[in-house]
Amino acid sequence: SQQGEEDPQALSIQEGENATMNCSYKTSINNLQWYRQNSGRGLVHLILIRSNEREKHSGRLRVTLDTSKKSSSLLITASRAADTASYFCATDPWNTGNQFYFGTGTSLTVIP
Amino acid sequence: DGGITQSPKYLFRKEGQNVTLSCEQNLNHDAMYWYRQDPGQGLRLIYYSQIVNDFQKGDIAEGYSVSREKKESFPLTVTSAQKNPTAFYLCASSIDRADSLTFGDGTRLSIL
């Protein structure tokens, strides 16, 4: 399987704390993306980082990419209860045409 | 506002029945995708289409069929050959392979 794997599977933190999620993948990629999914809804795109980039920021989100270790991390700073959701990484491998491969997700709970 | 509309939100299938899930987008995106989401397994690609009248199988195409007669529409038929169809089905679109995915809000399919 070319799916990525997120770690941890579940994370529970207090409001105001930072949340860090990790994604590991198996093959060389063009880019890696992070998505968020609220319960029973579709996924929403958060951020895209290309293979030649190492770090990217968007508001309270910080994404890093280490292509030598085939891993990425998503940091959410100053978390809010509204950040409670599942977070998925998706990779765009070199040799698979127009496909995106999603990981199994991290379920984040932010306690008010 | 532009987006992706999936219908119905909930669908029930009887044994031996084919059912069709609708996906319509007004984003003028060329590429469209169908994913299946099962608990704990992330998203798996069923079919994708890069242009009208062309589509490719994803990792789990058996028991499913699609058509792409119009740029805006990418319906998915779950055939009676799909023995375990109970899942959450997500449709997505993108401008091209280098871009992010925009998702609909999904159709939850169950067996009667």
Side-chain angles (χ1 to χ4, degrees):
Chain A
S1 169
Q2 302 216 36
Q3 278 188 326
E5 289 188 10
E6 283 92 343
D7 168 56
Q9 287 188 327
L11 180 61
S12 183
I13 59 173
Q14 295 288 331
E15 199 165 33
E17 294 181 337
N18 295 343
T20 299
M21 290 158 266
N22 303 295
C23 170
S24 59
Y25 57 92
K26 296 178 182 176
T27 62
S28 296
I29 60 173
N30 294 303
N31 65 59
L32 184 143
Q33 304 177 43
W34 285 90
Y35 289 81
R36 164 195 168 129
Q37 183 181 34
N38 287 84
S39 182
R41 302 294 299 273
L43 280 70
V44 174
H45 178 255
L46 296 176
I47 198 164
L48 180 153
I49 186 165
R50 303 200 184 279
S51 59
N52 61 353
E53 298 174 311
R54 292 296 168 259
E55 187 171 313
K56 206 161 181 180
H57 296 254
S58 176
R60 293 184 296 113
L61 305 180
R62 173 178 167 248
V63 168
T64 62
L65 179 64
D66 187 335
T67 53
S68 66
K69 294 182 179 178
K70 292 186 170 57
S71 68
S72 173
S73 67
L74 170 66
L75 168 68
I76 304 174
T77 60
S79 64
R80 306 166 182 168
D83 293 329
T84 294
S86 291
Y87 292 82
F88 295 87
C89 67
T91 57
D92 174 19
W94 283 1
N95 61 347
T96 58
N98 201 28
Q99 296 196 39
F100 296 85
Y101 287 89
F102 284 81
T104 52
T106 292
S107 177
L108 173 66
T109 301
V110 181
I111 303 166
Chain B
D1 286 338
I4 294 185
T5 301
Q6 289 188 241
S7 63
K9 191 168 178 65
Y10 299 95
L11 187 58
F12 297 91
R13 195 191 87 170
K14 295 180 181 178
E15 290 287 339
Q17 185 182 43
N18 293 353
V19 292
T20 297
L21 285 60
S22 171
C23 177
E24 302 278 333
Q25 56 104 353
N26 60 2
L27 299 165
N28 200 32
H29 285 175
D30 286 316
M32 296 188 74
Y33 309 78
W34 274 105
Y35 287 91
R36 170 179 171 143
Q37 186 176 29
D38 294 280
Q41 292 194 43
L43 277 69
R44 292 182 291 168
L45 184 65
I46 305 172
Y47 268 99
Y48 65 100
S49 168
Q50 293 178 263
I51 56 172
V52 174
N53 292 323
D54 185 52
F55 48 83
Q56 287 80 39
K57 293 181 179 180
D59 295 327
I60 56 164
E62 186 174 349
Y64 300 97
S65 66
V66 294
S67 63
R68 186 86 188 273
E69 297 176 1
K70 298 186 300 181
K71 188 175 185 177
E72 301 80 19
S73 179
F74 192 40
L76 173 74
T77 296
V78 184
T79 74
S80 56
Q82 173 50 245
K83 298 306 179 187
N84 183 25
T86 297
F88 190 48
Y89 290 87
L90 287 160
C91 179
S93 70
S94 66
I95 294 174
D96 59 38
R97 71 164 304 185
D99 200 28
S100 60
L101 295 173
T102 301
F103 281 84
D105 266 342
T107 292
R108 191 166 298 279
L109 176 62
S110 302
I111 297 297
L112 280 177

